[in-house]
């Protein structure tokens, strides 16, 4: 199943502009952390793509790295795009996209809350679902909870 | 010049018009809101974490508990995501049953939205009428799957059981009676001058800003943006039905409200067509007893009752999902509350919050 | 003219006054339930082969099955459902190949004390079960529904 639905010409154009990106078989684009903000700005502002809607932002804790996932939609063309950023296990940090899309605000806070991934260059990065004094990040695989039944 | 002092007011966590356990810290200059800081998470159950300890099928009952007013839609979004990952073809009949159930769920959810909004504005009568008709939908669901609210009807590869014989006649009777009921709401709530005075030109949402903030569903369409996944990116069998997407003009609370009433009429239209086209056949694809999707990830979106409902499923090849993330429309719609409330009077906060139609089970996940 | 909408609303509520009453005097009367209604569970002990498919299908570890080995056969000695955790999703009923665990129409499941909530569907002594096992469980056991 494709991760994105964009014509290959668009992908090629992106590859020319950002040689560091990797495009997988199912059209998922992996972006290096350093280029994320400029890559996303290009996607949003270039009228050829016009990705105006950041629909989903989440993260996964893989054994070797954290991956932050961005799902973008272009209302104008109907394109969808899945972009990923791989982060190291120690003190994961990634540039915030709140300057581009308002919807990143709460979703980044949620990812910070549940994964402990720091989003740099934004204000008010606080816990959103859990209480402020909560210890640990529940959606990390090494999280041990206390209580529950049995 | 009068000296003004900022007032802080806590709305909630226990407040009837927050539709659940939700807390807004309001900062006010006299009666004008300068900041509305939403605090959510009181209903956080860690459903995404629970999913990691359950099999793919076992997660279905938990999706009911996200947006518990439209459980069918939550079920469908999830099972379709897993089906996309496993590349399962769903039988036609199952697709049609899904569409019927989903649209009924959408009507049920919008009825609650319309009814509770009427209460929020101060007209308790409208709520009773909406609940009366929602009860009919609950009865229909009870016929189909035995439950009324937390339905768990969808299965990966189809639906749990075929429709019982008495369902279609009961549904047709409902379809015949519902349009006149919708006219009643229009007479009771929409046409009411006090209601209009409270909602028209209040809480204006600019289309560009709405898109930037990821707002979806009726809230976005009320601002005049044509974005309905059933039309723009048809999934299931939605491309076979003839229906319109109601749009608003101003993007105020009144438009958001009327959009939902209009959408109910369109949903009735879709159900009627689906009943006419309903084919015979199996309701479940051939799927293995133990589901082990190939390693990989998938993101699937459907048009939920509150907006775009997305499921991100990561499989590591085992029988349990490695990670499930739900793009909850209420959560993202609520993220805009602060901006939306700024500059309006304190009495408008309830009108604005109610018009966004949030469900806290979904916000807090 | 201002007020027309209000009058229209009053007219609708007034019409409702003359419609049929729908209130049901609950404890004395009750509404009919759908045949598929998810009420309290019943276990057909004769049919149960203690295969634990239901317990494995449960998302929330509600079902606890106790078995004993008698003449190389697994027989049921206890079937308990911790209903306080039950989601009433019906996955256990769906998983049962024998149709032994079913929903009933009983919905009045409220209890006064928490320790009364667990639903004990079977608690039997193994010797008693042996007789039942020989009569009630025949083919199903031999087919082997081990998973």
């Amino acid at each position: 199943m494709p991760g994105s639905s964009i014509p290959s010409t668009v992908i090629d154009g992106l590859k020319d502009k950002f040689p560091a990106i990797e495009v997988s078989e199912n059209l998922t684009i992996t972006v290096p952390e350093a280029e994320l903000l400029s890559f996303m700005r290009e996607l949003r502002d270039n009228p050829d793509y016009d990705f105006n809607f950041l629909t989903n932002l989440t993260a996964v804790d893989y054994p070797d790295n954290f991956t932050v996932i961005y799902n973008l939609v272009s209302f104008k063309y109907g394109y969808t795009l899945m972009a990923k950023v791989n982060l190291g296990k120690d003190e994961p940090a990634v540039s915030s996209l709140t300057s581009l899309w308002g919807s990143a605000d709460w979703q980044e806070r949620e990812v910070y809350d549940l994964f402990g991934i720091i989003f740099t260059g934004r204000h008010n990065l606080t816990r959103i679902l859990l209480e402020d004094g909560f210890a640990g990040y529940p959606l990390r695989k090494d999280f041990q909870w206390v209580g529950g039944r049995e | 010049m009068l000296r003004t002092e900022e007032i802080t007011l806590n709305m909630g966590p226990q407040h009837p018009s927050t539709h659940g356990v939700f807390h807004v810290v309001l900062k006010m200059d006299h009666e004008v809101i300068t900041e509305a800081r939403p605090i959510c998470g009181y209903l956080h159950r860690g459903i995404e974490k629970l999913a990691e300890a359950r099999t793919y099928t076992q997660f279905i009952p938990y999706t009911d508990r996200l947006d518990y007013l439209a459980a069918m839609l939550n079920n469908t979004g999830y099972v379709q995501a897993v089906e996309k990952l496993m590349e399962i073809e769903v039988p036609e009949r199952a697709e049609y049953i899904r569409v019927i159930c989903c649209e009924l769920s959408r009507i049920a959810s919008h009825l609650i939205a319309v009814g509770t909004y009427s209460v929020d504005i101060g007209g308790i009568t409208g709520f009773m009428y909406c609940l009366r008709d929602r009860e009919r939908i609950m009865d229909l669901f009870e016929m189909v799957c035995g439950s009324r609210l937390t339905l768990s009807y969808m299965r990966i590869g189809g639906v749990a059981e075929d429709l019982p014989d008495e369902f279609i006649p009961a549904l047709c009777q409902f379809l015949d009676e519902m349009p006149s009921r919708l006219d009643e709401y229009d007479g009771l709530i929409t046409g009411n001058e006090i209601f209009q005075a409270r909602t028209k030109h209040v809480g204006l949402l600019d289309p560009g800003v709405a898109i930037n903030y990821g707002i979806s569903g009726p809230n976005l369409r009320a601002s005049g943006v044509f974005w309905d996944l059933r039309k723009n990116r048809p999934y299931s069998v939605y491309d076979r039905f003839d229906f319109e997407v109601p749009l608003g003009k101003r993007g105020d609370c009144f438009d958001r409200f009327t959009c939902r009433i209009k959408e109910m009429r369109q949903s009735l239209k879709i159900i009627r067509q689906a009943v006419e086209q309903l084919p015979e056949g199996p309701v479940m694809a051939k799927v293995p007893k133990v589901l082990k999707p190939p390693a990989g990830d998938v993101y699937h979106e459907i048009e939920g009752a509150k907006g775009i409902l997305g499921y991100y499923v990561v499989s590591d090849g085992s029988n349990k999902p490695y990670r499930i993330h739900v793009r909850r429309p209420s959560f993202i719609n609520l993220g805009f509350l602060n901006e939306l409330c700024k500059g309006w009077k304190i009495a408008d906060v309830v009108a604005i919050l109610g018009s966004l139609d949030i469900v806290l089970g979904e916000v807090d996940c | 003219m201002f007020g027309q909408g209000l009058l229209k609303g009053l007219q609708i509520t007034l019409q409702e006054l003359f419609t049929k009453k729908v209130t049901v005097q609950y404890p004395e009367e009750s509404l009919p339930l759908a045949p598929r209604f998810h009420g309290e569970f019943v276990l057909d002990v004769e049919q149960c082969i203690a295969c634990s498919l239901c317990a494995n299908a449960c998302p929330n570890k509600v079902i606890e099955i106790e078995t004993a080995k008698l003449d190389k056969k697994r027989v049921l000695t206890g079937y308990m459902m911790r209903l306080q955790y039950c989601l009433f999703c019906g996955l256990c009923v769906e998983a049962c190949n024998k149709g032994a665990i079913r929903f009933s129409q009983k919905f009045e499941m409220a209890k006064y004390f928490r320790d009364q909530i667990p639903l004990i569907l079977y608690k039997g002594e193994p010797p008693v079960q042996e007789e039942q096992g020989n009569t009630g469980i025949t083919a199903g056991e031999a087919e082997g529904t081990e998973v």
Side-chain angles (χ1 to χ4, degrees), chain B residues 6-25:
Chain B
E6 197 180 62
I7 307 168
T8 306
L9 183 76
N10 285 291
M11 180 173 153
Q14 303 289 342
H15 189 283
S17 71
T18 55
H19 301 203
V21 207
F22 175 56
H23 185 183
V24 194
V25 182

Side-chain angles (χ1 to χ4, degrees), chain B residues 165-235:
Chain B
D165 294 336
E166 68 269 26
F167 177 76
I168 295 289
L171 176 66
C172 287
Q173 202 195 347
F174 171 78
L175 291 177
D176 290 339
E177 288 171 16
M178 197 59 193
S180 64
R181 300 292 168 89
L182 289 170
D183 293 339
E184 277 188 9
Y185 311 149
D186 275 338
L188 264 175
I189 312 168
T190 321
N192 187 307
E193 279 93 354
I194 300 167
F195 178 81
Q196 290 186 4
R198 286 286 308 275
T199 54
K200 271 189 179 169
H201 307 286
V202 171
L204 296 174
L205 182 54
D206 176 72
V209 177
I211 292 170
N212 188 269
Y213 272 83
I215 289 167
S216 51
N219 296 330
L220 179 65
R221 292 192 283 272
S223 294
V225 182
F226 186 97
W227 192 256
D228 187 324
L229 290 183
R230 292 172 296 172
K231 278 275 189 211
N232 295 68
R233 207 191 302 152
Y235 54 94

